[in-house]
Amino acid sequence: MSTLPPNPQGDLMRAATVNMAVAQPPKSKAASKQSNNANPKAKTQMHRRSRTGCYTCRLRRKKCDEGTPMCTACKHLGLACEYKRPMWWSNNDARRQHKDDIKMIIKRKKLSEKASHTIQTSVSSPPGLSHSLPTSATFSDPLDRTRSASIDSQFAFNFNSPPNVPDYGAYNPHILPSHSDFMFSMSPYEIDVKTERQMFVNDVPTLRESTVSTFSTFHTPPPPGTVLPSYPMDGEWGEQAYQERRESLAEETLNCNFFDFSHGLPTRQADIELEENDQRLLEHFIQFVLPTVFPILETNQHGSVSSDLILPNLQNNKGYLHCCLMIAAQHYKATMNVQGEEIDNDIMRHRHATILALCEALNKDENHHQILEATLGLIFFQSCVGRYDDSLPDIPWHQHFQAVNSLVNKLDLPQLVTDATEQLTQTPFNMTLTAWIDILGATMQGRAPNFAHTYREKHLSTTNPFLGLRELMGCDDHVMYLISEIACLEALKKEGMDDITLCQHVHALGDQIGLTESHDCGPKMPFNANGSLSPKQLSKNITSAFRLAARIYLCSLVPGFSPSQASCIGLVEKLTTVLHFIPSGLGGFDRSLSWVYLIGGSVSGMNSSFRQFFNDRIAQLGDTANYGSFGGVVSLLHEVWQQADNSQPSPGANGSTEAPYISWRDVMQMRGWDYLLI
């Protein structure tokens, strides 16, 4: 149980919104014995506990609801729920190590959740304890982090600085002797700070968020027999602090006005009048779909696209509203495994209403921005939540993109982002999302991107080469531009380019990809010294993954390519290594790397470590791995692997046998799959 130091101003502390557990003084042995003898039945009931809960909850000493196949606690935290006695249970060292691993998983999950929600705390919360460490940008410098005093205290104390006795003397004249003795000889204590946030739609509560931050002075004792290190020599502590300072300063300054959508208050009310059934769909969209749409953009904190772009459009854009209600119905059907005419009618009703609203706006030739946003939503949201095996009639994504192409040109967005004479203060978000769909969508169809010339100009620009692709999805803009060039080369190959010219272009593009590696120091875990998620390192890891996938895509264009070639095997192994540094699970970013998994997995051999790694990531995602682009990649790769493993190897040029290359695009055409995997 947590403990607190004596509180001379208890009334003031009781008025604060901080929940603190105070330890009671230990009772004497005589009193304890008398109490136990007086009520033996109560003692028996106190120590009764369930023996049928999962072993993970029993290890954590938490109450288990014994749900199947996973209990609620394990499912929420992304932990392995084991009801059968695991191997590590009978070994104390293995049990201790497993418990430490679980603590690290929970810590990272909580930090990831806090990083995706900027919480506005109330004034009554104690200063310095009301934040939840969203990212390293919360602290400008590790050396300057100080913990504010409690609200009933008359002094402050820096918990992060090494003890310095002369400094204490400066405070002695202002502190009573009793306070001074208490300040530096107090017992350990712990404080929990609970922060709640409520969102209303039509004055009806829809989304409620609650976070708990813990400040603790407890220190875990070292195991018996541990040789404690000596106090740092002169310069050692300063060197460590310097490393933390340099790591913190290396993080980018957050630019919340990077994109051109308006920015409002964190809690936004949308005045939307809907029928009861549609109101439930809207609540489902806000609570369950919004957090999964742009996870990397939210992590970068370049403005909250949920509250600053999507929610205002729900109120002002009729086509966008029906699009989101359709997506909510699809998500509900996929996640809840609901089948029936009612949910299908909801999907088709809002799908028809969306198309009708867009056609009316196009006929009026007005509100082009709203039409573009709704059409992009039809494409991108569908790729996030749609199921590949959904039999309901729908318009293919590339037909929607034809309308996007026309609207982007009508709004003159390509000229706007490439005009060297006009420096944009904000990047057009619609152009950034269009570019992401255009580049990766072109690779899905084996054609050149519609705006390939724009990307080429941005790639060669020395003044403003960025389009916001890294801020949106994590991959560096230049790598995405080169993927566009590879797609153009594949289109030329289909048109009959000769092999010699093709190989020359492949070699030139390979050199261009190599130039993007000049400042790459290799992947590492995207967490700072304080345990918070590092958006900058996460972006570097994602860029490395896309870069390796681009190399694999480029190599597949070479005549005579085979997945069993040493160069291809090496690239797949490197990609697997990089993907280990991408956070996994429900709070991870695997679903944002669908294209990378598709390109790398399509050429992975039967004995490749990639396959086992990919299956592990699927298991960590649980049911969320079955829908959206990631679900489509899972089904497509299993089909490709089945055909590749059953194919007979062919003789190679040097006398060895080579595995045949099974094109994932050919498999999609054979199965009649026409969906976007980005």
Side-chain angles (χ1 to χ4, degrees), residues 174-303:
H174 306 287
I175 304 178
L176 296 177
S178 59
H179 284 188
S180 178
D181 295 337
F182 145 73
M183 186 64 196
F184 305 113
S185 61
M186 57 186 170
S187 59
Y189 65 93
E190 188 174 83
I191 300 175
D192 290 338
V193 181
K194 184 176 182 181
T195 307
E196 294 185 349
R197 172 185 174 185
Q198 181 77 53
M199 179 178 291
F200 292 84
V201 176
N202 289 340
D203 295 327
V204 177
T206 58
L207 177 61
R208 183 170 183 171
E209 301 170 348
S210 178
T211 59
V212 177
S213 305
T214 302
F215 171 69
S216 175
T217 61
F218 285 95
H219 293 279
T220 305
T226 302
V227 179
L228 297 178
S230 59
Y231 193 79
M233 300 296 290
D234 292 340
E236 290 185 16
W237 183 87
E239 178 65 23
Q240 179 182 0
Y242 171 74
Q243 290 296 116
E244 291 187 3
R245 177 194 294 269
R246 187 171 62 177
E247 180 179 4
S248 176
L249 293 178
E251 282 294 324
E252 298 175 283
T253 303
L254 299 180
N255 180 9
C256 293
N257 294 315
F258 186 88
F259 290 109
D260 61 347
F261 44 75
S262 59
H263 302 275
L265 297 175
T267 301
R268 184 185 293 273
Q269 296 186 7
D271 185 14
I272 307 172
E273 295 183 2
L274 297 171
E275 297 179 358
E276 182 179 356
N277 188 36
D278 291 343
Q279 184 67 39
R280 288 197 297 267
L281 290 177
L282 179 60
E283 294 173 2
H284 183 85
F285 180 83
I286 293 175
Q287 186 171 0
F288 297 105
V289 180
L290 271 187
T292 66
V293 175
F294 295 107
I296 298 176
L297 177 61
E298 297 284 1
T299 300
N300 288 333
Q301 296 182 7
H302 290 286

Side-chain angles (χ1 to χ4, degrees), residues 571-639:
L571 288 174
V572 173
E573 291 302 316
K574 288 182 179 180
L575 177 61
T576 307
T577 301
V578 171
L579 290 173
H580 276 92
F581 294 90
I582 306 294
S584 60
L586 297 178
F589 303 93
D590 285 327
R591 286 170 52 82
S592 300
L593 299 173
S594 299
W595 187 83
V596 172
Y597 280 111
L598 171 62
I599 299 300
S602 63
V603 296
S604 61
M606 185 185 305
N607 300 322
S608 172
S609 61
F610 180 92
R611 295 195 183 186
Q612 180 60 43
F613 171 80
F614 185 60
N615 290 329
D616 291 342
R617 289 298 175 101
I618 295 174
Q620 294 181 50
L621 282 173
D623 295 337
T624 59
N626 299 325
Y627 58 86
S629 293
F630 193 88
V633 170
V634 171
S635 301
L636 179 56
L637 284 183
H638 286 164
E639 189 75 23

Side-chain angles (χ1 to χ4, degrees), residues 101 156 172 315 318 369 373 404 511 517 521 612 620 665:
D101 294 341
N172 288 338
Q315 183 175 355
K318 181 180 178 182
H369 276 290
E373 288 170 346
V404 170
D511 291 341
E517 300 175 346
C521 301
Q612 180 60 43
Q620 294 181 50
R665 198 180 292 122

Side-chain angles (χ1 to χ4, degrees), residues 372 376 401 404-405 408 413 429-439 451 455 472:
L372 178 58
L376 288 173
F401 197 76
V404 170
N405 182 39
V408 167
L413 294 182
F429 180 80
N430 287 336
M431 186 63 209
T432 304
L433 184 56
T434 298
W436 187 266
I437 298 173
D438 186 27
I439 294 173
F451 302 102
Y455 313 139
L472 177 66

Side-chain angles (χ1 to χ4, degrees), residues 275 277-278 281 322 344-354:
E275 297 179 358
N277 188 36
D278 291 343
L281 290 177
H322 285 291
D344 289 345
N345 288 337
D346 286 336
I347 295 174
M348 295 307 300
R349 175 167 56 89
H350 289 294
R351 182 172 291 168
H352 177 74
T354 303

